[in-house]
Amino acid sequence: QKEVEQNSGPLSVPEGAIASLNCTYSDRGSQSFFWYRQYSGKSPELIMFIYSNGDKEDGRFTAQLNKASQYVSLLIRDSQPSDSATYLCAVNPSGTYKYIFGTGTRLKVLA
Amino acid sequence: SQTIHQWPATLVQPVGSPLSLECTVEGTSNPNLYWYRQAAGRGLQLLFYSVGIGQISSEVPQNLSASRPQDRQFILSSKKLLLSDSGFYLCAWRVAGGSREQFFGPGTRLTVL
């Protein structure tokens, strides 16, 4: 069974701090990795995707991928109260149309 | 630009009643389409996906079915709802081939009583 695991949290950080969210996956052949933000009662919104080892930056967000260790992380710099949400990690295993989601990490940014 | 629609937004149905949820995508052709369910406080469960008209792959055996009668239309159905069918139903799409980013619709919140 291919799995994606995340710490459910909540992860609490003060406003202005860096929030670090982590995700591990079991399928070593996975090629595509995604981070979604989901506000309570709303649908997931894609915020970052990464396909290659290393870092990818977009504004305050940085995705980091380490295929050898099978983990992907999301860093949120200068965290704001509006970043408080559940962050879902998703993996698209190689050669499939399917996506496997983690159960999400709840982030709380304290003003 | 592409847009994905789902309706209804909320639905309250009695146990044993039928279900039909609809999803349509605008602004793209031949998308890959997906149905997910998110139970309260839980992760996303992939129910069905489709790579073309009439092509449906089922991920979880249950009392739900899916159909894709048109290129950009995806329908989730049930003949008899169970209490355990309650949840947040999400339709998603991605471009066929190439980019692998997947985008979600606004969702339908279903409560079975």
Side-chain angles (χ1 to χ4, degrees), chain B:
Chain B
S1 64
Q2 298 86 8
T3 309
I4 179 169
H5 302 279
Q6 284 187 250
W7 62 91
T10 60
L11 192 59
V12 180
Q13 293 284 95
V15 169
S17 64
L19 173 73
S20 181
L21 302 181
E22 190 164 341
C23 169
T24 59
V25 180
E26 296 179 354
T28 188
S29 296
N30 195 32
N32 292 344
L33 297 173
Y34 302 80
W35 278 113
Y36 292 88
R37 177 171 61 201
Q38 188 175 38
R42 300 186 65 179
L44 288 169
Q45 179 186 31
L46 178 62
L47 302 175
F48 302 94
Y49 66 93
S50 170
V51 299
I53 295 174
Q55 300 179 60
I56 309 294
S57 296
S58 174
E59 286 300 296
V60 183
Q62 53 202 331
N63 68 322
L64 299 173
S65 62
S67 62
R68 184 170 177 174
Q70 300 180 43
D71 181 41
R72 290 169 290 168
Q73 184 185 30
F74 205 21
I75 297 172
L76 183 69
S77 304
S78 174
K79 292 182 180 178
K80 288 186 177 182
L81 284 168
L82 307 173
L83 285 174
S84 58
D85 290 324
S86 293
F88 192 32
Y89 286 82
L90 291 155
C91 181
W93 74 277
R94 66 170 247 192
V95 173
S99 170
R100 299 171 196 150
E101 294 92 80
Q102 183 182 75
F103 302 94
F104 285 87
T108 295
R109 191 161 302 281
L110 171 66
T111 303
V112 182
L113 301 175

Side-chain angles (χ1 to χ4, degrees), chain A residues 31-32 34 36 38 40-46 49 51 86 88 90 92 96-104, chain B residues 32 34 36 38 41-44 46 49 51 59 88 90 94 97-107 109:
Chain A
Q31 299 289 327
S32 311
F34 307 88
Y36 289 84
Q38 186 175 25
S40 180
K42 301 295 185 182
S43 64
E45 173 192 8
L46 180 65
F49 58 91
Y51 301 151
T86 296
L88 302 173
N92 173 216
T96 79
Y97 296 103
K98 298 185 285 189
Y99 295 75
I100 302 170
F101 282 79
T103 53
Chain B
N32 292 344
Y34 302 80
Y36 292 88
Q38 188 175 38
R42 300 186 65 179
L44 288 169
L46 178 62
Y49 66 93
V51 299
E59 286 300 296
F88 192 32
L90 291 155
R94 66 170 247 192
S99 170
R100 299 171 196 150
E101 294 92 80
Q102 183 182 75
F103 302 94
F104 285 87
R109 191 161 302 281

Side-chain angles (χ1 to χ4, degrees), chain A residues 16-31:
Chain A
I18 296 175
S20 178
L21 305 163
N22 299 310
C23 169
T24 60
Y25 59 95
S26 62
D27 182 12
R28 186 171 289 277
S30 296
Q31 299 289 327

